[in-house]
Amino acid sequence: MLSRVASSIYWMARYVERAENLARFIDVTLNVILDHSTEEQWEPLVRATGDTEYFREHYGEFSSENVRHFLTFDRDYPHSIFSSVSRARENARTVREAISSEAWETLNEFYLFVKQAADPGVSAANSEFYSEVKKQSHLFSGVFDSTMSRDKGWYFANIGRFVERADKISRILDVKYFTLLPDVSSVGTTVDDLLWSAVLRSVSGFEMFRKRYHTITIHRIVDFLVLNTRFPRAIHYCVRTAARSLNQVGGPEFNSNPALQLAGEIEQRLAVTTNDTIINGGLHEFIDTLQIDLNRLGSAINETYFGRRRTPVDPSMRQSQWSD
């Protein structure tokens, strides 16, 4: 498979997954505000993107309307839902011969839905809109999985999807951390339970969590959303699936394949980490390190398979840098 085709399929899947997780990202805040109304809930979303300077320059106030427009419809911001779906469609358009016509048509309809909603004066970005974004993403993934051979193209899409998902699940966890950071007295209270419940619902994991555990504690949340190997939105599950897909696409042998080596290292570290280790060392600090590793993995995939130069990663870089 040509590296250009592999790259386009990989990024098509990443951008669709990014749009879905941005919708989840915002929807969790909308749900939290229903029970715990405050404008302060919106600033952590912008802070987690790492683009606070851009936001302040173009929007100023961290109001609900400003933050939702910034993350949803801003055509100039390259990581909004609109930009992500547009880029996914553009990548799919360049490799239409390599993907099924059903997958292309589904993604094109997804793009037209978001484009129409983004037109000035058409509608506000509300909970129904974000639910539809999630549905459209699920529809595309289902159609893609149902109509593509399990060849290199499908595995590259799988790599993009799960690397992106691991990154965004960690951001959603970090938003929860920042939300309670100014008020540590709220930890362990009813408000804390409401926020964790919203986080679980935002990743469609509330029922599966309840099925395994009864009450919400930080140790159980970390166990479920970070270390679980069976829940498809747990970070460990995502990293493991991406690593296994990397094994399937071929390419350089393990000793000369930095992407495969790094994916194996991250998975191994998650396999031997416990919830006590993460919490005692600081959840935010753990996420910070994990996101730097995921950014390094993204760079290694680009360098190994797509013939691009590795983007240097500053060891001091915080977790809040988007990759593309």
Side-chain angles (χ1 to χ4, degrees):
M1 169 175 278
L2 295 173
S3 61
R4 175 189 64 80
V5 175
S7 173
S8 293
I9 293 177
Y10 168 85
W11 280 109
M12 173 194 69
R14 280 202 74 158
Y15 284 131
V16 170
E17 185 70 25
R18 181 171 297 180
E20 178 188 336
N21 283 279
L22 271 170
R24 293 177 179 278
F25 211 43
I26 302 166
D27 207 27
V28 64
T29 302
L30 286 171
N31 289 326
V32 165
I33 287 174
L34 289 176
D35 298 311
H36 189 63
S37 179
T38 169
E39 289 292 317
E40 293 176 3
Q41 303 287 348
W42 292 102
E43 183 175 351
L45 270 70
V46 178
R47 197 187 304 180
T49 67
D51 293 316
T52 306
E53 188 176 340
Y54 175 96
F55 179 87
R56 288 189 183 282
E57 181 182 342
H58 292 82
Y59 294 89
E61 184 185 357
F62 291 99
S63 66
S64 169
E65 184 179 353
N66 285 348
V67 174
R68 280 188 289 163
H69 186 272
F70 166 64
L71 293 174
T72 308
F73 294 138
D74 192 328
R75 295 171 185 245
D76 297 323
Y77 179 54
H79 307 300
S80 67
I81 289 176
F82 177 83
S83 297
S84 296
V85 176
S86 299
R87 288 182 172 197
R89 177 178 177 270
E90 183 58 25
N91 276 282
R93 189 185 63 77
T94 63
V95 291
R96 284 186 62 176
E97 76 286 354
I99 63 175
S100 66
S101 57
E102 289 86 353
W104 160 251
E105 290 164 6
T106 304
L107 182 53
N108 200 40
E109 289 172 6
F110 186 8
Y111 165 75
L112 292 174
F113 162 73
V114 175
K115 180 175 180 291
Q116 183 178 25
D119 287 342
V122 171
S123 67
N126 51 28
S127 191
E128 288 74 21
F129 170 80
Y130 297 115
S131 293
E132 187 60 29
V133 169
K134 287 184 279 185
K135 286 180 185 176
Q136 292 284 339
S137 173
H138 291 169
L139 181 61
F140 170 75
S141 298
V143 169
F144 189 83
D145 286 347
S146 300
T147 58
M148 292 288 293
S149 299
R150 288 341 185 223
D151 56 14
K152 290 184 179 181
W154 185 81
Y155 284 113
F156 272 115
N158 228 24
I159 296 165
R161 179 191 308 171
F162 282 97
V163 169
E164 183 70 23
R165 185 177 297 177
D167 179 81
K168 294 304 173 288
I169 294 299
S170 69
R171 289 178 192 277
I172 289 174
L173 282 171
D174 218 25
V175 165
K176 167 65 173 63
Y177 171 88
F178 277 121
T179 300
L180 281 181
L181 184 62
D183 185 12
V184 292
S185 63
S186 296
V187 175
T189 65
T190 303
V191 173
D192 196 26
D193 284 350
L194 285 172
L195 289 173
W196 280 125
S197 296
V199 169
L200 287 168
R201 292 185 192 282
S202 75
V203 298
S204 304
F206 186 76
E207 287 77 17
M208 292 303 103
F209 178 89
R210 287 293 194 192
K211 188 176 177 182
R212 180 168 182 179
Y213 307 102
H214 294 294
T215 56
I216 294 176
T217 67
I218 180 64
H219 285 77
R220 290 172 175 175
I221 291 285
V222 169
D223 218 29
F224 184 68
L225 290 182
V226 178
L227 303 175
N228 196 292
T229 56
R230 296 186 176 183
F231 181 59
R233 292 193 172 278
I235 292 171
H236 192 176
Y237 180 96
C238 295
V239 172
R240 172 178 287 187
T241 305
R244 290 178 176 178
S245 295
L246 276 169
N247 262 311
Q248 295 293 325
V249 298
E253 295 296 324
F254 183 83
N255 289 337
S256 57
N257 189 326
L260 206 51
Q261 290 178 25
L262 191 51
E265 288 172 14
I266 299 172
E267 193 205 345
Q268 182 59 30
R269 200 177 312 136
L270 288 167
V272 299
T273 299
T274 67
N275 52 19
D276 281 334
T277 305
I278 294 173
I279 293 167
N280 292 338
L283 177 59
H284 173 68
E285 287 72 16
F286 174 82
I287 290 174
D288 215 20
T289 301
L290 176 68
Q291 291 191 345
I292 291 172
D293 285 341
L294 290 172
N295 283 340
R296 289 173 57 213
L297 177 58
S299 297
I301 291 169
N302 280 333
E303 180 187 37
T304 305
Y305 295 101
F306 310 146
R308 297 178 181 176
R309 292 183 58 190
R310 179 191 294 270
T311 303
V313 178
D314 183 346
S316 65
M317 185 176 68
R318 292 188 65 255
Q319 81 288 359
S320 52
Q321 301 296 317
W322 301 86
S323 59
D324 59 7

